[in-house]
Amino acid sequence: DTGVSQDPRHKITKRGQNVTFRCDPISEHNRLYWYRQTLGQGPEFLTYFQNEAQLEKSRLLSDRFSAERPKGSFSTLEIQRTEQGDSAMYLCASSETTSGRAASTDTQYFGPGTRLTVL
Amino acid sequence: AQSVTQLDSHVSVSEGTPVLLRCNYSSSYSPSLFWYVQHPNKGLQLLLKYTSAATLVKGINGFEAEFKKSETSFHLTKPSAHMSDAAEYFCVVSDKGPNSGYSTLTFGKGTMLLVSP
Protein backbone atom coordinates (compact mmCIF):
# COMPACT_ATOMS: atom_id res chain seq x y z
CA ASP A 1 0.00 0.00 0.00
CA THR A 2 1.77 3.11 -1.23
CA GLY A 3 -0.92 5.60 -0.29
CA VAL A 4 -2.63 8.20 -2.45
CA SER A 5 -0.29 9.90 -4.89
CA GLN A 6 -0.77 13.12 -6.83
CA ASP A 7 1.10 14.57 -9.76
CA PRO A 8 2.49 17.16 -10.15
CA ARG A 9 3.17 18.40 -6.63
CA HIS A 10 3.53 21.97 -7.82
CA LYS A 11 2.25 23.75 -10.92
CA ILE A 12 2.82 27.35 -11.91
CA THR A 13 0.85 28.60 -14.88
CA LYS A 14 -0.19 31.83 -16.53
CA ARG A 15 -3.76 33.05 -16.42
CA GLY A 16 -5.79 31.64 -19.26
CA GLN A 17 -3.82 28.41 -19.62
CA ASN A 18 -5.27 24.95 -19.06
CA VAL A 19 -3.88 22.62 -16.40
CA THR A 20 -4.47 18.97 -15.58
CA PHE A 21 -3.74 17.15 -12.35
CA ARG A 22 -3.61 13.43 -11.74
CA CYS A 23 -4.54 11.40 -8.68
CA ASP A 24 -3.75 7.73 -8.10
CA PRO A 25 -5.82 6.36 -5.21
CA ILE A 26 -4.96 3.50 -2.93
CA SER A 27 -5.41 0.35 -4.98
CA GLU A 28 -8.87 -1.20 -4.72
CA HIS A 29 -10.38 1.94 -3.18
CA ASN A 30 -13.57 2.44 -5.14
CA ARG A 31 -14.31 5.97 -3.96
CA LEU A 32 -12.29 9.00 -4.96
CA TYR A 33 -12.73 12.63 -3.91
CA TRP A 34 -11.29 15.99 -4.94
CA TYR A 35 -10.98 18.91 -2.54
CA ARG A 36 -9.59 22.44 -2.80
CA GLN A 37 -7.76 24.16 0.03
CA THR A 38 -6.97 27.87 0.01
CA LEU A 39 -4.66 29.62 2.43
CA GLY A 40 -6.00 29.73 5.95
CA GLN A 41 -9.00 27.54 5.17
CA GLY A 42 -9.89 23.92 5.53
CA PRO A 43 -10.30 21.77 2.43
CA GLU A 44 -13.57 22.20 0.54
CA PHE A 45 -15.28 19.38 -1.32
CA LEU A 46 -15.27 19.59 -5.13
CA THR A 47 -16.42 16.27 -6.52
CA TYR A 48 -16.75 12.56 -5.80
CA PHE A 49 -16.53 9.32 -7.81
CA GLN A 50 -17.67 5.85 -7.01
CA ASN A 51 -15.77 3.64 -9.42
CA GLU A 52 -15.98 5.51 -12.73
CA ALA A 53 -19.23 7.32 -11.99
CA GLN A 54 -19.12 10.96 -10.90
CA LEU A 55 -21.88 11.05 -8.30
CA GLU A 56 -21.69 14.53 -6.88
CA LYS A 57 -20.30 17.92 -7.82
CA SER A 58 -20.03 20.93 -5.56
CA ARG A 59 -21.25 24.34 -6.65
CA LEU A 60 -17.57 25.30 -6.36
CA LEU A 61 -16.90 23.25 -9.47
CA SER A 62 -17.54 25.79 -12.20
CA ASP A 63 -17.89 24.95 -15.90
CA ARG A 64 -14.15 25.47 -16.31
CA PHE A 65 -13.47 22.46 -14.10
CA SER A 66 -13.87 18.88 -15.24
CA ALA A 67 -12.95 15.64 -13.54
CA GLU A 68 -12.78 12.12 -14.90
CA ARG A 69 -12.09 8.66 -13.63
CA PRO A 70 -12.32 6.66 -16.86
CA LYS A 71 -11.45 3.18 -15.63
CA GLY A 72 -12.37 3.53 -12.01
CA SER A 73 -8.73 3.79 -10.98
CA PHE A 74 -6.79 7.05 -11.39
CA SER A 75 -8.55 10.37 -11.81
CA THR A 76 -7.75 13.65 -13.53
CA LEU A 77 -8.90 17.15 -12.70
CA GLU A 78 -8.66 19.71 -15.48
CA ILE A 79 -9.04 23.45 -15.12
CA GLN A 80 -9.56 25.38 -18.34
CA ARG A 81 -8.78 29.07 -18.79
CA THR A 82 -7.24 29.35 -15.35
CA GLU A 83 -7.86 32.45 -13.24
CA GLN A 84 -5.84 33.84 -10.37
CA GLY A 85 -8.62 32.80 -8.01
CA ASP A 86 -7.93 29.16 -8.90
CA SER A 87 -4.62 29.33 -7.02
CA ALA A 88 -4.94 26.76 -4.25
CA MET A 89 -3.88 23.34 -3.07
CA TYR A 90 -5.89 20.60 -4.81
CA LEU A 91 -6.25 17.48 -2.69
CA CYS A 92 -7.32 14.02 -3.67
CA ALA A 93 -8.60 11.37 -1.27
CA SER A 94 -9.80 7.80 -1.59
CA SER A 95 -11.81 5.39 0.51
CA GLU A 96 -13.08 1.85 0.42
CA THR A 97 -16.72 1.00 0.93
CA THR A 98 -17.71 -1.84 3.17
CA SER A 99 -21.02 -3.58 2.62
CA GLY A 100 -23.52 -2.75 5.33
CA ARG A 101 -21.61 0.23 6.60
CA ALA A 102 -22.78 3.77 6.07
CA ALA A 103 -20.66 5.83 3.72
CA SER A 104 -20.34 8.53 6.34
CA THR A 105 -18.14 6.24 8.41
CA ASP A 106 -15.60 5.75 5.62
CA THR A 107 -12.09 6.91 6.35
CA GLN A 108 -10.75 9.06 3.55
CA TYR A 109 -7.01 8.85 2.91
CA PHE A 110 -5.49 11.99 1.45
CA GLY A 111 -2.69 12.52 -1.00
CA PRO A 112 -0.02 15.22 -0.57
CA GLY A 113 -1.83 17.62 -2.89
CA THR A 114 -0.97 19.66 -5.97
CA ARG A 115 -0.24 23.31 -5.29
CA LEU A 116 -1.41 25.48 -8.18
CA THR A 117 -0.18 29.04 -8.63
CA VAL A 118 -1.79 31.11 -11.38
CA LEU A 119 0.19 34.20 -12.32
CA ALA B 1 -26.69 20.87 6.12
CA GLN B 2 -23.59 20.21 8.14
CA SER B 3 -20.98 22.59 9.51
CA VAL B 4 -18.00 22.67 11.82
CA THR B 5 -16.70 25.48 14.00
CA GLN B 6 -13.20 25.33 15.40
CA LEU B 7 -13.23 27.84 18.18
CA ASP B 8 -9.55 28.76 18.13
CA SER B 9 -7.46 29.60 15.08
CA HIS B 10 -4.24 29.25 17.11
CA VAL B 11 -3.40 27.45 20.36
CA SER B 12 -0.03 27.81 22.06
CA VAL B 13 1.22 25.37 24.69
CA SER B 14 4.49 24.48 26.31
CA GLU B 15 6.01 21.07 25.79
CA GLY B 16 4.73 18.64 28.42
CA THR B 17 1.50 20.55 29.13
CA PRO B 18 -2.01 19.43 28.13
CA VAL B 19 -3.53 20.20 24.74
CA LEU B 20 -7.18 21.14 24.14
CA LEU B 21 -8.46 21.93 20.64
CA ARG B 22 -12.13 22.81 20.58
CA CYS B 23 -14.69 21.85 17.95
CA ASN B 24 -18.45 22.26 17.65
CA TYR B 25 -20.49 20.75 14.87
CA SER B 26 -23.91 20.97 13.29
CA SER B 27 -25.49 18.05 11.47
CA SER B 28 -28.93 17.13 10.16
CA TYR B 29 -28.36 13.40 10.47
CA SER B 30 -26.24 11.05 12.52
CA PRO B 31 -22.76 12.34 11.90
CA SER B 32 -19.38 10.77 11.87
CA LEU B 33 -16.68 13.04 13.23
CA PHE B 34 -12.98 13.06 12.51
CA TRP B 35 -9.84 14.89 13.48
CA TYR B 36 -7.13 15.22 10.85
CA VAL B 37 -3.64 16.69 11.26
CA GLN B 38 -1.65 18.46 8.57
CA HIS B 39 2.08 18.95 8.98
CA PRO B 40 3.81 21.46 6.68
CA ASN B 41 4.30 20.09 3.18
CA LYS B 42 2.64 16.81 4.12
CA GLY B 43 -0.75 15.33 3.43
CA LEU B 44 -3.66 15.21 5.83
CA GLN B 45 -3.37 12.35 8.29
CA LEU B 46 -6.28 10.87 10.22
CA LEU B 47 -5.86 11.15 13.99
CA LEU B 48 -9.12 9.55 15.09
CA LYS B 49 -12.77 9.13 14.18
CA TYR B 50 -16.13 8.74 15.90
CA THR B 51 -18.82 6.65 14.21
CA SER B 52 -21.56 6.22 16.85
CA ALA B 53 -19.78 3.61 18.96
CA ALA B 54 -17.93 4.65 22.12
CA THR B 55 -18.16 8.37 22.77
CA LEU B 56 -14.54 8.58 23.94
CA VAL B 57 -12.33 7.89 20.99
CA LYS B 58 -8.61 7.20 21.20
CA GLY B 59 -6.39 8.02 18.28
CA ILE B 60 -2.76 7.96 17.30
CA ASN B 61 0.09 9.71 19.11
CA GLY B 62 -1.79 9.90 22.43
CA PHE B 63 -4.67 12.05 21.18
CA GLU B 64 -8.26 11.41 22.14
CA ALA B 65 -11.62 13.11 21.64
CA GLU B 66 -15.00 12.90 23.32
CA PHE B 67 -18.28 13.11 21.43
CA LYS B 68 -20.86 15.07 23.42
CA LYS B 69 -24.19 15.12 21.61
CA SER B 70 -25.87 17.44 24.12
CA GLU B 71 -23.15 20.03 23.57
CA THR B 72 -22.61 19.21 19.86
CA SER B 73 -18.90 19.15 20.61
CA PHE B 74 -15.97 16.94 19.69
CA HIS B 75 -12.94 18.45 21.42
CA LEU B 76 -9.47 16.99 20.88
CA THR B 77 -7.15 16.50 23.85
CA LYS B 78 -3.72 15.18 24.70
CA PRO B 79 -2.30 14.97 28.22
CA SER B 80 1.21 16.09 27.36
CA ALA B 81 2.28 18.01 24.27
CA HIS B 82 5.37 17.10 22.30
CA MET B 83 7.30 19.35 19.95
CA SER B 84 6.38 17.06 17.06
CA ASP B 85 2.68 17.82 17.67
CA ALA B 86 3.09 21.30 16.21
CA ALA B 87 0.87 21.29 13.13
CA GLU B 88 -2.56 22.33 11.90
CA TYR B 89 -5.53 20.31 13.11
CA PHE B 90 -8.87 20.01 11.35
CA CYS B 91 -12.16 18.90 12.85
CA VAL B 92 -14.34 17.24 10.22
CA VAL B 93 -17.97 16.15 10.07
CA SER B 94 -19.46 13.64 7.67
CA ASP B 95 -23.20 13.28 7.22
CA LYS B 96 -24.82 10.12 5.93
CA GLY B 97 -26.86 12.26 3.55
CA PRO B 98 -30.55 11.98 2.65
CA ASN B 99 -30.17 8.68 0.80
CA SER B 100 -27.29 7.22 2.78
CA GLY B 101 -25.55 6.35 -0.43
CA TYR B 102 -22.64 8.67 0.04
CA SER B 103 -21.36 11.46 2.16
CA THR B 104 -18.86 14.24 1.93
CA LEU B 105 -16.54 15.70 4.49
CA THR B 106 -17.00 19.22 5.79
CA PHE B 107 -13.85 20.65 7.33
CA GLY B 108 -13.44 23.33 9.94
CA LYS B 109 -11.07 26.18 9.24
CA GLY B 110 -8.32 24.56 11.28
CA THR B 111 -6.45 25.23 14.51
CA MET B 112 -2.74 25.81 14.40
CA LEU B 113 -1.04 24.20 17.41
CA LEU B 114 2.20 25.84 18.46
CA VAL B 115 4.42 24.02 20.95
CA SER B 116 7.22 25.86 22.70
CA PRO B 117 10.15 24.23 24.52
Side-chain angles (χ1 to χ4, degrees):
Chain A
D1 182 355
T2 58
V4 178
S5 62
Q6 293 186 244
D7 183 69
R9 295 289 305 275
H10 303 273
K11 178 69 176 179
I12 300 174
T13 191
K14 293 182 179 180
R15 188 177 55 185
Q17 297 296 304
N18 299 342
V19 294
T20 300
F21 309 141
R22 176 180 170 125
C23 170
D24 286 90
I26 294 172
S27 59
E28 298 181 356
H29 276 193
N30 58 344
R31 292 181 172 169
L32 187 147
Y33 312 77
W34 286 98
Y35 293 82
R36 182 174 69 185
Q37 185 178 18
T38 53
L39 201 60
Q41 301 293 320
E44 296 174 290
F45 170 76
L46 292 178
T47 189
Y48 154 68
F49 291 85
Q50 178 150 325
N51 300 313
E52 65 276 9
Q54 189 173 16
L55 297 186
E56 188 179 1
K57 292 191 290 186
S58 161
R59 60 177 173 77
L60 295 175
L61 212 66
S62 74
D63 292 344
R64 297 183 297 105
F65 287 70
S66 62
E68 294 182 343
R69 195 182 183 198
K71 298 182 180 178
S73 57
F74 73 92
S75 175
T76 58
L77 178 69
E78 181 183 16
I79 308 174
Q80 296 182 326
R81 304 180 304 280
T82 53
E83 302 173 354
Q84 288 184 326
D86 297 331
S87 295
M89 176 76 84
Y90 290 84
L91 298 168
C92 176
S94 69
S95 69
E96 180 182 27
T97 55
T98 299
S99 176
R101 189 180 72 187
S104 61
T105 64
D106 289 352
T107 295
Q108 294 185 23
Y109 296 88
F110 283 82
T114 295
R115 182 169 296 283
L116 173 65
T117 302
V118 181
L119 302 176
Chain B
Q2 55 193 30
S3 66
V4 175
T5 302
Q6 292 185 242
L7 299 166
D8 305 292
S9 60
H10 293 80
V11 169
S12 295
V13 300
S14 299
E15 190 175 22
T17 64
V19 175
L20 170 63
L21 305 183
R22 298 182 295 166
C23 172
N24 287 101
Y25 71 92
S26 172
S27 173
S28 302
Y29 302 94
S30 299
S32 294
L33 292 158
F34 307 78
W35 276 97
Y36 279 84
V37 61
Q38 189 173 38
H39 286 91
N41 300 316
K42 292 189 177 181
L44 287 157
Q45 181 184 18
L46 178 70
L47 276 179
L48 50 82
K49 71 176 184 180
Y50 164 79
T51 58
S52 78
T55 56
L56 182 62
V57 182
K58 294 187 183 299
I60 62 172
N61 299 334
F63 285 95
E64 62 181 38
E66 186 172 7
F67 173 72
K68 293 186 176 180
K69 187 175 181 179
S70 61
E71 299 177 8
T72 61
S73 69
F74 191 58
H75 302 333
L76 182 70
T77 60
K78 182 175 180 177
S80 176
H82 191 273
M83 294 294 290
S84 61
D85 294 329
E88 189 157 27
Y89 292 78
F90 292 96
C91 182
V92 185
V93 64
S94 176
D95 259 335
K96 69 177 182 179
N99 62 10
S100 300
Y102 61 88
S103 67
T104 59
L105 301 183
T106 298
F107 284 74
K109 291 188 175 183
T111 298
M112 185 67 71
L113 177 64
L114 306 171
V115 183
S116 57

